[in-house]
């Protein structure tokens, strides 16, 4: 825990109970890793404690650090690389299993890059659902130590899947050429061994260093045997850990659920294996029915929406207004760099508000405040950290100061609406995680950025070479995947989530 105190003086403070449009000015005192007290103009001012640092907050907006509740760091270096690819084609080019073992320097660089980008955009907590390749302690330790170095809060899960084939595999022709069959299939894994590996890490790394937290992740119910899903449900109950998994991200996943589950519902299957609980948050839920949304609300299971990646990968728009009306708890994520190209929740918040607005000709009641809530308190709930996501005494000091002199805020009308609709991330001035200033004046305090760029340039040579080889290997599978994808788009599955109607 950092020593000393920090006083943020005279910022507008967006906090529970305050007017979200014109939050009043207050002083916020931080002691160690927590917010100690908040005083407004009506209270006597704080005396600056001896040795305390004072941060000038005049002309600034203080908000809780943003929570990106869905992210994968493994392909952070693959930004700006893909476009116009349906999900399964993209997966073949971006999933870590296809690239194979990476150097220690690359593991470190990619972990740092995503975290640095997130911090600079005011994200203080990320949920990194990480597929370890190879799945061993050395790989895990390199990643966690990079996180500890950069100073972001991370809720880390080791993504498990024992059924390796692509989601679209059941809809491919049976007579695939062997090289294509090998790419879209693969050998199943032993669920008991994978669960034992995860539990061994929970025990070995207990307690985790500050700012690191555990979660559990089956990659997706349709990619997991019943034994694996039940094993994760059991670990979650026994260790009180949150669970994150991909559900109904694509139309192929919907079609597969209709085919493989007795009643065709992935959500009911999750209930059967013990995963439809308040500890679980599902990523995406694009292709979900109203009945299934009601089941989520009833169970207290949350959804983390990733509007940017859903659009980029041609999956469409999740029924977020229906989820909101049903009372499903919502969080927001940036998803991975290979499919959303950046770590920026301002984009996700704006997309959330715009997609809600564009879903109905009449008022929906889904407002900017709801987007802010999903990116802060909603995210905190998803990652099961009740002491982040709000500016209040006793909470962790995970905070962001935004520059109200930036033109995005001129003239000032509403903190909540301008956060969602005007701010791009450019105004992020100061970021505090666990009471420690990790970004000051827009510069990271924990990483030398010039040295980092040199590290990055070094690892990119090998990655470029290996990625070119992967693309060449994947090429023969592309026409087969596109044909299956096109056929699926013509099958009536009772819903249509792409923009512009069926
Ligand atoms: Zn994901």
């Amino acid at each position: 825990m950092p020593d000393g105190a920090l006083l943020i003086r005279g910022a507008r403070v967006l906090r529970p109970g305050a007017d979200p449009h014109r939050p009043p000015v207050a002083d916020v005192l931080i002691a160690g890793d927590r917010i100690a007290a908040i005083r407004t103009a009506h209270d006597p001012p704080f005396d600056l404690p001896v040795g305390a640092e004072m941060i000038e907050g005049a002309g600034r907006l203080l908000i809780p650090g943003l929570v990106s509740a869905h992210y994968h760091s493994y392909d952070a270096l693959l930004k700006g690389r893909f476009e116009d690819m349906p999900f399964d084609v993209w997966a073949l080019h971006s999933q870590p299993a296809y690239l194979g073992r990476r150097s220690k320097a690359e593991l470190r660089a990619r972990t740092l890059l995503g975290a640095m980008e997130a911090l600079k955009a005011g994200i203080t907590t990320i949920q990194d659902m990480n597929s370890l390749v190879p799945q061993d302690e050395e790989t895990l330790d390199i990643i966690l130590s990079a996180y500890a170095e950069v100073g972001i809060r991370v809720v880390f899960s080791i993504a498990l899947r024992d059924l390796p084939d692509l989601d679209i595999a059941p809809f491919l022709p049976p007579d695939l050429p062997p090289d294509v069959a090998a790419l879209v299939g693969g050998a199943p894994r032993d669920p008991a061994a994978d669960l034992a590996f995860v539990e061994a890490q929970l025990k070995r790394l207990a307690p985790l260093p500050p700012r690191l937290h555990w979660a559990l992740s089956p990659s997706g119910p349709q990619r997991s045997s019943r034994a694996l899903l039940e094993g994760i449900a059991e670990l979650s109950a026994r260790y009180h850990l949150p669970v994150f998994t991909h559900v109904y991200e694509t139309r192929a996943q919907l079609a597969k659920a209709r085919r493989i589950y007795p009643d065709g519902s992935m959500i009911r299957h999750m209930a059967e294996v013990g995963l439809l609980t308040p500890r679980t948050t599902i990523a995406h839920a694009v292709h979900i029915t109203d009945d299934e949304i009601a089941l989520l609300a009833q169970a207290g299971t949350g959804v983390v929406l990733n509007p940017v990646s859903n659009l980029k990968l041609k999956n469409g728009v999740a029924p977020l207004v229906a989820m909101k009306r049903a009372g499903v708890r919502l969080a927001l994520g940036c998803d991975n760099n290979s499919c959303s190209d950046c770590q920026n929740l301002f984009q996700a918040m704006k997309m959330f508000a715009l997609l809600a607005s564009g879903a109905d000709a009449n008022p929906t009641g889904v407002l900017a405040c709801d987007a802010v809530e999903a990116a802060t308190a909603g995210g905190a709930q998803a990652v099961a950290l009740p002491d982040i996501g709000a500016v209040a005494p006793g909470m962790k000091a995970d905070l962001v100061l935004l520059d109200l002199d930036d033109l995005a805020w001129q003239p000032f009308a509403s903190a909540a609406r301008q956060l969602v609709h005007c701010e791009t991330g450019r105004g992020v001035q100061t970021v505090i995680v666990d009471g420690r200033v990790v970004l000051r004046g827009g510069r990271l305090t924990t990483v030398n950025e010039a040295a980092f760029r040199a590290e990055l340039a070094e690892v990119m040579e090998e990655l470029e070479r290996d990625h070119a080889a992967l693309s060449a290997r994947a090429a023969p599978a592309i026409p087969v995947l596109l044909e299956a994808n096109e056929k699926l788009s013509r099958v009536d599955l009772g819903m249509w989530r792409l923009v512009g109607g069926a």
Side-chain angles (χ1 to χ4, degrees):
M1 189 191 293
D3 297 316
L6 203 57
L7 179 64
I8 303 169
R9 197 158 66 187
R12 285 183 181 269
V13 180
L14 189 68
R15 58 172 171 149
D19 178 353
H21 302 295
R22 293 187 171 269
V25 165
D27 296 343
V28 175
L29 181 66
I30 296 162
D33 59 350
R34 292 192 186 261
I35 298 169
I38 301 177
R39 289 191 185 169
T40 64
H42 307 296
D43 305 315
F46 288 116
D47 295 323
L48 193 64
V50 178
E53 180 187 349
M54 207 271 286
I55 294 178
E56 185 52 65
R60 306 274 192 265
L61 174 68
L62 184 70
I63 64 169
L66 304 175
V67 180
S68 178
H70 188 63
Y71 169 64
H72 314 270
S73 65
Y74 49 68
D75 56 5
L77 303 183
L78 298 183
K79 65 170 68 159
R81 200 163 282 257
F82 309 117
E83 63 183 325
D84 211 24
M85 281 182 173
F87 179 89
D88 290 278
V89 175
W90 159 83
L92 214 49
H93 292 81
S94 61
Q95 295 308 290
Y98 299 113
L99 263 177
R101 180 188 281 271
R102 313 311 304 156
S103 68
K104 289 178 195 174
E106 186 179 321
L107 293 173
R108 180 187 135 80
R110 75 187 195 192
T111 307
L112 286 178
L113 178 77
M116 290 162 68
E117 225 190 310
L119 285 174
K120 285 196 155 196
I123 296 167
T124 53
T125 297
I126 48 178
Q127 200 280 299
D128 184 1
M129 188 195 293
N130 206 311
S131 314
L132 303 178
V133 177
Q135 189 168 282
D136 62 17
E137 292 178 354
E138 186 187 34
T139 306
L140 176 62
D141 290 349
I142 292 167
I143 295 167
L144 294 184
S145 87
Y147 277 137
E149 179 184 337
V150 74
I152 197 167
R153 190 178 300 285
V154 182
V155 180
F156 193 87
S157 57
I158 299 166
L160 300 180
R161 62 180 296 175
D162 55 344
L163 310 178
D165 50 337
L166 287 179
D167 294 329
I168 204 168
F171 309 100
L172 300 176
D175 54 344
L176 292 174
D179 55 334
V180 174
L183 266 177
V184 304
R189 293 178 63 93
D190 174 7
D194 282 352
L195 289 163
F197 174 77
V198 168
E199 187 169 12
Q201 303 319 306
L202 300 181
K203 288 179 176 162
R204 179 175 71 94
L205 300 172
L208 281 169
R211 301 179 302 279
L212 299 180
H213 312 264
W214 282 119
L216 299 167
S217 285
S219 171
Q222 79 285 2
R223 300 168 189 158
S224 309
S225 67
R226 195 179 181 105
L228 181 61
L229 296 174
E230 286 176 345
I232 287 176
E234 190 273 325
L235 280 178
S236 163
R238 191 149 48 88
Y239 286 87
H240 308 287
L241 292 178
V243 175
F244 295 87
T245 189
H246 298 99
V247 172
Y248 287 145
E249 181 173 5
T250 74
R251 195 171 166 81
Q253 291 170 16
L254 170 66
K256 189 172 177 183
R258 295 283 188 268
R259 184 180 283 195
I260 65 175
Y261 301 125
D263 62 0
S265 166
M266 206 183 295
I267 299 297
R268 287 193 177 82
H269 183 65
M270 286 180 69
E272 264 184 46
V273 297
L275 280 176
L276 207 67
T277 78
R279 287 188 303 277
T280 298
T281 299
I282 63 175
H284 308 300
V286 175
H287 301 269
I288 191 169
T289 66
D290 286 349
D291 286 353
E292 290 172 319
I293 290 173
L295 290 176
L296 295 181
Q298 211 177 6
T301 300
V303 173
V304 49
L305 298 161
N306 301 275
V308 176
S309 79
N310 293 157
L311 290 172
K312 181 92 190 283
L313 295 177
K314 303 174 173 294
N315 293 318
V317 179
L320 56 102
V321 176
M323 291 177 194
K324 186 79 199 165
R325 284 181 179 152
V328 175
R329 59 177 177 79
L330 298 178
L332 280 172
C334 299
D335 216 340
N336 30 341
N337 272 357
S338 70
C339 66
S340 67
D341 301 280
C342 67
Q343 296 308 307
N344 187 319
L345 272 174
F346 296 104
Q347 288 189 356
M349 284 195 286
K350 183 161 188 170
M351 201 67 93
F352 173 94
L354 293 181
L355 291 172
S357 185
D360 199 314
N362 301 301
T364 60
V366 179
L367 303 174
C369 284
D370 298 302
V372 175
E373 162 94 14
T376 55
Q381 223 185 333
V383 298
L385 295 177
D387 53 0
I388 64 165
V391 186
M395 300 291 277
K396 285 277 191 181
D398 287 12
L399 300 165
V400 175
L401 271 170
L402 293 151
D403 179 13
L404 297 180
D405 290 339
D406 188 276
L407 290 179
W409 294 91
Q410 297 290 324
F412 182 82
S414 157
R417 290 190 203 109
Q418 278 166 283
L419 258 179
V420 172
H421 291 289
C422 307
E423 178 61 67
T424 58
R426 189 178 60 207
V428 174
Q429 280 278 319
T430 305
V431 175
I432 298 165
V433 182
D434 231 19
R436 175 181 181 218
V437 178
V438 291
L439 191 86
R440 185 180 272 121
R443 309 280 308 169
L444 290 164
T445 64
T446 49
V447 178
N448 178 328
E449 290 183 47
F452 172 75
R453 281 193 298 276
E455 268 182 56
L456 185 60
E458 233 167 82
V459 302
M460 282 313 292
E461 256 177 61
E462 188 179 320
L463 180 59
E464 290 288 1
R465 201 170 54 235
D466 291 354
H467 203 269
L470 168 61
S471 298
R473 277 199 310 280
I478 294 175
V480 181
L481 295 176
L482 288 179
E483 195 187 332
N485 195 62
E486 205 273 328
K487 272 191 188 151
L488 269 180
S489 70
R490 282 186 274 119
V491 176
D492 181 8
L493 293 170
M495 70 178 77
W496 186 258
R497 298 296 189 220
L498 290 176
V499 179

